[in-house]
Amino acid sequence: MITVSHLTKYYGRHLAVSDLSFEIGEGHVYGFLGPNGAGKSTTMNIMTGCLSATEGSVSIDGHDIFEEPKAAKKLIGYLPEQPPLYPGETPEEYLHFVGQAKGLRGERLRAELEAAIEATGIEPVRHKRIGALSKGFRQRVGIAQALLGDPRVIILDEPTVGLDPLQILEIRDLIRRLGRTHTVIFSSHILSEVQTVCDRILIIAHGRLVAQGKPEELERELAGETEIRLIADADDLTAAKIVASVEGLHALEVTGEGGVSTFRLAAGDGDPHAMTRALFGAFAKADTAILEMSVKKATLEDVFLELTEKDGSGLPAPEDSIAEDSAPVDGAAEEIKESEATGHDGDPEA
Amino acid sequence: MTAILKHELRAHFHSLTAWVFGAFLLCFVGIGALQYNLKAAVSNFEYVLGYCAIILAIIVPLLTMRTIAEERRQKTDQLIYSLPVTTTQVVLGKYLALLILFAIPLLIVCLYPLIFAQYGDVYLPTAYGSIGAFFLMGAALIALGVFISSLTENQGFAAGLGVAVMLFNYYSVSLSEYVSRTTVGSGAALAVLAVLLCLLIWYMTKNANLAYGAAVVLILGLSGVLYFKPELLEGLLPGIMEKLSFFERFYTFVDGVFDLTSVIFYLTAIVFFLFLSVQSLEKRRYN
C-alpha cells in the first residue's frame, strides 16, 4: 500500500531523516514509535505531501506523492500533530469545507460528513465553535476531517498528545475501530500506547528505522535473555556448587557476604520457570534456604530505550535490530491504568 | 478551488474584514462624490476615484494581511498541503475571494454615475472606464498584498509591510523627481536594488549560493552596461519608478484615456505576484 524508499530529509544542514525505507501493507494499525525529535513527524509530513524529501520516494498504492500528488493524496487522510482547525468555524462548517476540497459534493458529501461525525462522536458539538471545544474534541474533529473522502490510509501524528487519560483511551479506541476498515498509521513516543493499539510497530530513532515487526515478534526476537536473581542462605562457594548442578544456567555475577550469597544468572532463552523450579529443587535437596529469587526478562521498553538513546551512528540496521517490551515511557499509561481501575467513563468535552 | 473560494468568502464575512473593507471604500467614495460631484458640481465621476485611489494603499493590506499569514500561524497550511488541491488552486481560490470582496462595493459604486446622470451631464464612458481601471488597479494591489501575506505568519507585519510598499508605490512618481538621473547615480541605486533583490531571493529560497549567483550576475550585468553603454542608465531609475507606479497608470484613465498598455501592465502584475505567492507557499515544502 505504501512504499517508502531511501527517504532522506535535511533541514539546512540538520539531517532529520536518513535513508529511511519501509513498506506498509493494506489493513492493520501501524505504530510509528520513537522519541521526540526522532523524525516521525518529518516522515509523516513527507508521506502526506506536506514536505518535500531531499532524496528518496514515497509511493501510495503505486502513486508517487511527488509525481502524482493529487491521486496519492486522495488515498490519504492526515491529522498533523497540531490539528489544523479554524477556531472560528463549527465542526460541521469545517468538515464541509474539507469534504468539498477533497472533491465531495451533494449527497455523498452529506453522507460522508454524517459518517465522520458519527465515527468520531462529535455529534454533540457539531454546531459549537471549534475554538470553544476541549482538546479531546478538537482532536476528534481533526480525525473526522482525515476520514472524509473515504481514504484507504489514515495517518495520525501523535493524536493522543496533551489529552487527559480518559480522552487518550477514547482516541485509542477510535483508532482501533478505524483499523478495522482502514490502514491506520499513527505515531507516538509512548511505547505502551503503540503496543496496545498497533498490530505492527516501526521504531524510528535519529531519523533511521531501527526495528519493525509485530509487537510479539519484536519481543521474541529482540528482547534479551532471561536473567534470574537469587539470594541464598549460604556462602558463595556452597551456593555456586548448588547452582552449577542445574543445567542451562551460567553465572553473570556472584557476590557473597556474611554467609549470604547473591547471584545474577543468565537463563538463556528457555522457559525461565523451568529454571527457577530446578533451582528451587536443587537448593531444597542441599537443605539450603533461598532467601529471594526473581526473574527479570529484558523488556521491550529496555531495548526501546537502548535503541533510541544511542547516537545515530551506532544504530543497527532494521533487518538485524534488537527489540523491546511493555511499560509506559511517560506517565500517561499509569494514569490510564489508574482511571481504568477506578472505572471512570469520562466526558472529554470542555 | 471552489471549496477554497467559498471557505475564504465565508471566513471574510464571518469576521469583520469584508464589512470594514467595504464600509471604508464606500465611505471614501461617498466623501469624494460629496466633495466633487455635489459640492463642487463637477460632472466627472472619475475624479472621485482619483481622489480615493490612495485609500487602497491602506485598506488593501488590511484585507489581504491574513490571507496566507493566518494559515501559517494557526498551522492550517498543513491541511491545505495535504488536501488533493494544488498550491496554484489554493492561491487562486483565495485571490478570487478577495476580488469578489473588492468587486461588491465597486458594484454599488457603479450606480453612482447613473444616479448623478439623472441630475446633470455625466460622461459615462470615462466614468465606467475609470471604475474598470480602479478595479484592475485594486486587483493588482490585492495580488501584491497576497504575496506579502505569504512571506510571513505575522498578520500585523504583513499589513505594515503592505502599507509601506503600496504607499511607496503611490509616491514613487513624486519621489522619482528627487532621484539622481545621472549615470552613476542610477548605477548606484540599481546596485542597491540588486542587493535587495538578492536578499529577497535568499529569504525566499534560503539558498545562499543562488542569492550569491544572482548578485554576481546582476552586478556584472550592471557593470557591463555602465562600461559599454553608460547612456542607457541615464534617467533609468526615475523612469522605472514612474513606469512601475500602479497609481500613475490609473490616473491616465482618470484623464479620460483608455490605455491598453496599462491594462496589460495590471494583468501582468497580477500574474507575477500570484506566481510569486505560489512559489512562496511551495518553498515551505522545501525548507
Side-chain angles (χ1 to χ4, degrees):
Chain A
M1 186 69 206
I2 299 180
T3 308
V4 173
S5 310
H6 304 290
L7 205 63
T8 299
K9 177 71 185 176
Y10 277 93
Y11 290 113
R13 288 182 182 176
H14 171 69
L15 178 62
V17 175
S18 170
D19 198 29
L20 193 64
S21 296
F22 58 86
E23 284 195 13
I24 283 177
E26 187 111 38
H28 307 296
V29 179
Y30 287 80
F32 223 53
L33 181 66
N36 292 328
K40 303 186 297 292
S41 295
T42 300
T43 307
M44 288 186 151
N45 277 330
I46 295 172
M47 285 164 70
T48 52
C50 294
L51 258 185
S52 70
T54 310
E55 275 175 36
S57 66
V58 177
S59 164
I60 317 285
D61 199 26
H63 302 285
D64 190 294
I65 192 77
F66 308 120
E67 305 289 329
E68 303 168 77
K70 262 191 169 180
K73 285 177 184 177
K74 281 196 171 177
L75 300 169
I76 301 173
Y78 179 43
L79 172 69
E81 189 174 350
Q82 187 177 327
L85 307 170
Y86 297 96
E89 296 178 358
T90 66
E92 187 169 315
E93 287 170 341
Y94 171 70
L95 294 176
H96 200 268
F97 156 61
V98 176
Q100 282 191 325
K102 287 186 177 185
L104 304 176
R105 296 286 184 276
E107 196 48 49
R108 193 177 162 209
L109 172 61
R110 265 190 296 280
E112 287 215 14
L113 196 142
E114 290 305 325
I117 286 176
E118 196 192 326
T120 50
I122 54 172
E123 178 63 42
V125 297
R126 67 188 290 171
H127 298 300
K128 288 185 180 175
R129 233 170 35 85
I130 290 173
L133 299 183
S134 69
K135 198 163 189 314
F137 266 115
R138 267 183 267 163
Q139 204 74 307
R140 282 162 180 264
V141 176
I143 295 176
Q145 67 78 18
L147 295 180
L148 291 172
D150 195 23
R152 286 162 67 187
V153 184
I154 294 169
I155 300 179
L156 310 169
D157 191 1
E158 306 227 14
T160 57
V161 164
L163 302 183
D164 69 40
L166 290 170
Q167 291 170 333
I168 291 176
L169 280 179
E170 287 172 356
I171 295 291
R172 285 182 190 172
D173 187 46
L174 177 59
I175 293 169
R176 271 190 221 104
R177 274 187 279 128
L178 292 174
R180 290 180 206 140
T181 47
H182 302 78
T183 301
V184 179
I185 305 168
F186 94 102
S187 71
S188 175
H189 59 273
I190 303 171
L191 177 61
S192 62
E193 177 168 82
V194 174
Q195 273 188 292
T196 315
V197 180
C198 300
D199 308 314
R200 286 176 172 76
I201 300 176
L202 296 100
I203 301 178
I204 188 168
H206 306 285
R208 295 179 62 193
L209 187 68
V210 292
Q212 61 174 318
K214 292 179 182 173
E216 60 275 13
E217 279 175 6
L218 288 174
E219 194 166 13
R220 193 172 56 244
E221 288 170 23
L222 306 176
E225 60 182 359
T226 307
E227 197 178 299
I228 297 171
R229 188 168 174 273
L230 173 83
I231 303 177
D233 189 14
D235 62 77
D236 49 355
L237 209 64
T238 313
K241 279 181 189 165
I242 301 170
V243 169
S245 68
V246 178
E247 276 184 30
L249 286 173
H250 71 269
L252 297 171
E253 192 183 333
V254 185
T255 52
E257 198 180 329
V260 173
S261 51
T262 303
F263 287 78
R264 266 182 61 227
L265 303 165
D269 52 7
D271 178 7
H273 290 144
M275 295 295 175
T276 52
R277 210 175 289 122
L279 273 171
F280 189 82
F283 273 88
K285 204 172 165 185
D287 196 22
T288 304
I290 292 174
L291 300 176
E292 264 181 47
M293 184 156 64
S294 60
V295 176
K296 184 174 179 282
K297 189 166 167 59
T299 62
L300 278 175
E301 186 190 5
D302 294 335
V303 186
F304 168 65
L305 289 174
E306 194 190 324
L307 285 173
T308 54
E309 281 174 4
K310 278 182 187 171
D311 77 35
S313 56
L315 289 172
E319 303 79 55
D320 45 59
S321 52
I322 336 286
E324 66 237 71
D325 171 23
S326 79
V329 169
D330 69 12
E334 277 100 341
E335 289 172 345
I336 291 161
K337 279 177 191 158
E338 242 170 61
S339 59
E340 276 173 334
T342 51
H344 289 171
D345 55 353
D347 175 9
E349 197 188 342
Chain B
M1 191 177 81
T2 327
I4 306 277
L5 169 66
K6 285 182 187 170
H7 183 247
E8 284 296 306
L9 279 176
R10 197 172 54 224
H12 282 297
F13 281 107
H14 271 197
S15 68
L16 283 175
T17 333
W19 306 104
V20 170
F21 175 81
F24 262 91
L25 190 57
L26 288 175
C27 175
F28 274 85
V29 174
I31 292 170
L34 185 75
Q35 294 286 344
Y36 283 87
N37 301 129
L38 298 181
K39 271 191 168 176
V42 175
S43 62
N44 302 71
F45 184 73
E46 52 272 24
Y47 294 164
V48 175
L49 296 176
Y51 164 80
C52 294
I54 190 172
I55 194 65
L56 288 184
I58 311 294
I59 60 174
V60 165
L62 293 178
L63 182 69
T64 57
M65 64 182 183
R66 61 165 287 279
T67 307
I68 295 173
E70 184 68 355
E71 300 274 7
R72 288 173 68 171
R73 192 190 63 77
Q74 61 190 17
K75 309 282 181 207
T76 41
D77 56 342
Q78 275 198 302
L79 172 73
I80 304 284
Y81 286 130
S82 67
L83 290 172
V85 287
T86 62
T87 315
T88 308
Q89 286 174 318
V90 172
V91 170
L92 280 180
K94 285 175 174 289
Y95 179 69
L96 286 179
L98 293 169
L99 271 195
I100 291 171
L101 291 187
F102 181 49
I104 292 170
L106 276 191
L107 283 176
I108 298 171
V109 170
C110 280
L111 298 174
Y112 294 4
L114 289 178
I115 295 169
F116 293 137
Q118 305 298 312
Y119 304 98
D121 291 329
V122 178
Y123 191 56
L124 293 178
T126 50
Y128 284 106
S130 297
I131 291 175
F134 192 76
F135 177 73
L136 272 178
M137 178 177 66
L141 289 173
I142 288 172
L144 172 61
V146 169
F147 169 60
I148 289 172
S149 176
S150 75
L151 296 175
T152 174
E153 59 183 56
N154 185 329
Q155 284 189 47
F157 181 71
L161 186 63
V163 170
V165 169
M166 288 178 200
L167 279 181
F168 178 78
N169 188 275
Y170 181 83
Y171 289 111
S172 62
V173 175
S174 317
L175 290 172
S176 69
E177 291 169 19
Y178 302 100
V179 174
S180 168
R181 288 187 170 267
T182 63
T183 305
V184 177
S186 280
L190 286 172
V192 171
L193 283 178
V195 171
L196 289 176
L197 181 67
C198 294
L199 283 174
L200 183 68
I201 290 173
W202 173 80
Y203 177 75
M204 287 191 68
T205 62
K206 293 282 183 279
N207 185 335
N209 290 337
L210 184 66
Y212 286 136
V216 169
V217 169
L218 288 171
I219 298 295
L220 280 179
L222 192 61
S223 309
V225 172
L226 204 58
Y227 188 75
F228 294 109
K229 286 253 182 196
E231 64 275 12
L232 281 180
L233 293 178
E234 259 177 56
L236 182 66
L237 188 65
I240 289 174
M241 287 173 74
E242 285 161 18
K243 292 239 164 25
L244 290 185
S245 169
F246 289 27
F247 296 89
E248 196 58 25
R249 287 179 181 273
F250 169 66
Y251 290 126
T252 318
F253 290 88
V254 172
D255 292 339
V257 179
F258 185 85
D259 183 8
L260 192 62
T261 56
S262 295
V263 173
I264 293 168
F265 170 80
Y266 286 134
L267 294 177
T268 311
I270 291 167
V271 173
F272 177 69
F273 286 117
L274 292 184
F275 170 77
L276 286 184
S277 306
V278 171
Q279 298 312 309
S280 178
L281 272 178
E282 278 295 319
K283 73 119 195 192
R284 288 207 76 207
R285 271 193 233 256
Y286 291 89
N287 288 337

